[in-house]
């Protein structure tokens, strides 16, 4: 064992109490209340849909929002290692590498024309900074400057100042000046009613009013998710994106679709918008793209948006990018992930498996502490009566060897797309065991 292996082994396999104490003392965990102990759930290794904690306990993974190929997939890990040893990175603002075009072309192949032009960034949040710059720039290029954005109040586009300004979720509120005017649309119906076809005119009416809220200041873009992830696992009515497309066309507004969570199989399709036959002007995707192996996000724009940036007076293009944008290892991980999705037919399977899992819990809707059961692709959502009830389900599930996600009062099962039938059955068994019994 060389010195590096020894150091890694020492860090990994030291006394669990020492490892936990280090974490408690030195790590500032993302989105975490001060004093909360995240070292209580400390993981050391994983395979497929199973993950082990530092005490050797095994869990079914149902909480990884970005997991497509699962953990330690041999094809993805091999692609990452090979690329790191061949060419890990060059600056794509000045040069390029052989995988950037291959990945951008691949993404374009899943989307309708004219969505053929991809800007790579490292996270969904950065993707929205870029997408909003694109929308505002596009309006200027059309000779009608606009900067207002319309978005869901319960939407979540990310953590940067700009991205969080597109939301009214409590976690997104900030003490800084919003960089541009935003009109937020509240859910006009409770989440449990929103997926029904009757909700469509009500929801579209709310967006129409927001778009027309200030006739002197029409919006540059409407920014929406096809499924509100952080906003509580909210399924929207069929025809929502198509209806928004029509509203945007009527008002010269760009439609920017947030597929950070939904793309690459999670929603049971490569892209939810493409499945719905809708052509946005800009699509942002991220989580499933490289399955969480390496950070990457893609902002894919129509050629009509791209070409207008030739008029930029400073650089003749979009003034945006990061040192690690289009990182070659991330591109390699993404291409390998997409290969696995296609070879293992994981996208179609996600739709089928999600349906099978949801069928086993559907009867719980409206009983006990379960307000609603809903699903999109391979995401099963149980909305509980309160956040505390949802927290209790998560704690009991963990005790039964199952990791779940919580967004507000919604409990979400989000397993890797590679989970097999037996794993999915065990996940639902453990979820059922974690629900409160009759009082
Ligand atoms: C729908 C959606 N958009 C954007 C983001 C932000 O992405 P990131 O966390 O990679 O910045 C998230 C993250 O959860 C998301 O779920």
């Amino acid at each position: 064992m060389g010195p590096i292996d020894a150091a890694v082994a020492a860090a990994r396999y030291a006394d669990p109490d020492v490892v936990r104490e280090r974490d408690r003392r030195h790590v500032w965990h993302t989105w975490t209340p001060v004093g909360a102990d995240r070292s209580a759930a400390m993981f050391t290794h994983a395979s497929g849909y199973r993950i082990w904690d530092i005490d050797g306990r095994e869990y079914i993974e149902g909480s990884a929002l970005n997991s497509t190929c699962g953990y330690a997939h041999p094809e993805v890990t091999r692609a990452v290692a090979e690329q790191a040893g061949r060419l890990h990175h060059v600056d794509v603002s000045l040069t390029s590498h052989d995988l950037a075009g291959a990945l951008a072309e691949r993404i374009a192949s899943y989307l309708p024309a004219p969505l053929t032009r991809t800007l790579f960034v490292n996270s969904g949040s950065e993707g929205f900074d870029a997408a909003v710059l694109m929308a505002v720039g596009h309006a200027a290029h059309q000779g009608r400057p606009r900067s207002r954005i319309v978005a869901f109040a319960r939407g979540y586009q990310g953590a940067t100042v700009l991205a969080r300004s597109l939301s009214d979720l409590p976690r997104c509120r900030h003490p800084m000046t919003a960089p541009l005017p935003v009109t937020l649309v509240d859910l006009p119906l409770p989440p449990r009613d929103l997926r029904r076809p009757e909700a469509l005119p009500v929801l579209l009416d709310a967006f129409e009013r927001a778009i027309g809220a200030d006739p002197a200041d029409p919006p540059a873009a409407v920014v929406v998710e096809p499924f509100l992830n952080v906003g509580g696992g909210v399924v929207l009515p069929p025809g929502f994106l198509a209806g928004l497309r029509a509203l945007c066309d009527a008002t010269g507004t760009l439609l920017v679709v947030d597929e950070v969570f939904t793309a690459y199989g999670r929603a049971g399709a490569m892209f939810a918008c493409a499945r719905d036959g809708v052509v946005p002007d800009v699509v942002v995707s991220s989580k499933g793209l490289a399955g969480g192996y390496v950070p990457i996000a893609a902002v894919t724009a129509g050629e009509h948006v791209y070409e207008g940036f030739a008029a930029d007076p400073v650089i003749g293009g979009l003034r945006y990018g990061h040192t690690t944008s289009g990182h070659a290892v991330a591109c390699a991980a993404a291409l390998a992930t997409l290969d696995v999705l296609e070879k293992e037919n994981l996208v179609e399977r996600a739709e089928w498996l999600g349906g099978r899992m949801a069928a086993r819990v559907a009867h719980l809707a409206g009983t006990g502490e379960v307000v609603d059961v809903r699903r999109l692709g391979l995401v099963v959502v149980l909305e509980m009566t309160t956040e505390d009830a949802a927290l209790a389900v998560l704690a009991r599930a963990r005790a039964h060897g199952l990791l779940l996600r919580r967004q507000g009062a919604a409990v979400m099962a989000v397993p890797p797309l590679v989970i097999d039938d037996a794993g999915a059955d065990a996940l639902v068994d453990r979820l059922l065991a974690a629900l409160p019994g009759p009082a």
Side-chain angles (χ1 to χ4, degrees):
M1 185 185 281
I4 294 178
D5 292 338
V8 169
R12 277 193 190 150
Y13 303 117
D15 176 346
D17 290 339
V18 175
V19 174
R20 286 201 178 92
E21 187 51 25
R22 250 191 233 138
D23 193 279
R24 282 195 283 262
R25 273 176 190 267
H26 296 294
V27 181
W28 191 328
H29 284 273
T30 52
W31 299 110
T32 295
V34 170
D37 181 7
R38 295 305 190 224
S39 75
M42 178 162 305
F43 299 99
T44 53
H45 58 290
S47 171
Y49 62 86
R50 295 177 305 151
I51 182 164
W52 285 265
D53 72 13
I54 195 164
D55 299 313
R57 277 188 297 260
E58 180 184 324
Y59 301 85
I60 294 176
E61 174 60 278
S63 69
L65 299 179
N66 54 8
S67 189
T68 39
C69 300
Y71 293 101
H73 195 290
E75 287 180 40
V76 185
T77 51
R78 194 178 317 120
V80 166
E82 278 176 10
Q83 191 62 37
R86 183 164 74 84
L87 175 72
H88 73 276
H89 177 239
V90 291
D91 184 344
V92 298
S93 72
L94 301 171
T95 64
S96 199
H97 58 77
D98 48 342
L99 299 191
L103 181 58
E105 181 187 60
R106 188 78 169 268
I107 294 169
S109 77
Y110 302 131
L111 286 164
L115 288 160
T116 51
R117 188 66 66 165
T118 291
L119 175 91
F120 290 114
V121 291
N122 304 304
S123 67
S125 305
E126 293 168 4
F128 279 93
D129 282 13
V132 168
L133 276 180
M134 287 177 186
V136 172
H138 179 75
H141 305 147
Q142 303 297 300
R144 45 174 196 213
R146 299 178 179 191
S147 62
R148 187 164 66 91
I149 306 292
V150 172
F152 271 115
R154 270 173 83 155
Y156 179 73
Q157 274 70 59
T160 61
V161 174
L162 197 156
R164 70 198 306 149
S165 299
L166 306 179
S167 173
D168 190 39
L169 286 174
R171 61 153 61 198
C172 288
R173 293 181 192 148
H174 62 82
M176 294 154 282
T177 309
L180 32 68
V182 180
T183 306
L184 294 172
V185 177
D186 288 316
L187 298 187
L189 295 168
R192 65 175 177 277
D193 293 330
L194 264 174
R195 64 181 174 279
R196 304 188 202 293
E198 312 83 83
L200 182 62
V202 186
L203 189 56
L204 287 178
D205 183 57
F207 271 91
E208 189 169 11
R209 276 183 281 116
I211 290 169
D214 184 352
D217 182 20
V222 172
V223 176
V224 289
E225 297 153 69
F227 165 88
L228 301 183
N229 167 32
V230 181
V234 183
V235 179
L236 301 167
F240 170 60
L241 290 181
L244 267 189
R245 178 73 272 179
L247 290 176
C248 287
D249 287 345
T251 53
T253 304
L254 290 196
L255 177 60
V256 178
V257 175
D258 179 347
E259 295 236 24
V260 166
F261 177 65
T262 45
Y264 310 113
R266 181 56 64 192
M270 270 296 181
F271 280 89
C273 62
R275 180 195 41 205
D276 295 354
V278 173
V279 188
D281 299 287
V282 180
V283 179
V284 183
S285 61
S286 177
K287 294 185 190 300
L289 177 53
Y293 280 78
V294 187
I296 185 168
V299 188
T300 305
E303 284 296 322
H304 57 298
V305 176
Y306 174 72
E307 279 162 8
F309 278 86
D312 179 86
V314 178
I315 65 166
L318 180 72
R319 281 175 256 160
Y320 195 87
H322 300 277
T323 308
T324 48
S325 288
H327 198 276
V329 176
C331 290
L335 285 164
T337 299
L338 296 173
D339 286 346
V340 171
L341 287 187
E342 292 191 20
K343 269 194 280 186
E344 300 185 14
N345 206 25
L346 294 178
V347 177
E348 292 75 15
R349 186 178 149 71
E351 181 61 27
W352 173 81
L353 194 60
R356 200 176 98 132
M357 289 168 61
R360 287 188 57 204
V361 288
H363 66 282
L364 297 169
T367 67
E369 293 181 16
V370 183
V371 173
D372 188 31
V373 177
R374 45 186 184 257
R375 173 186 80 91
L376 182 83
L378 192 49
V379 187
V380 178
V381 182
L382 269 67
E383 185 185 334
M384 307 300 291
T385 44
T386 61
E387 289 198 13
D388 283 348
L391 278 166
V393 174
L394 256 68
R396 283 191 297 265
R398 215 171 141 223
H400 284 98
L402 169 64
L403 304 179
L404 294 170
R405 195 91 191 172
R406 183 185 67 86
Q407 310 285 19
V411 170
M412 291 169 49
V414 194
L417 303 190
V418 289
I419 192 166
D420 58 20
D421 292 2
D425 287 346
L427 187 158
V428 177
D429 291 343
R430 294 178 195 190
L431 173 60
L432 288 167
L435 293 172

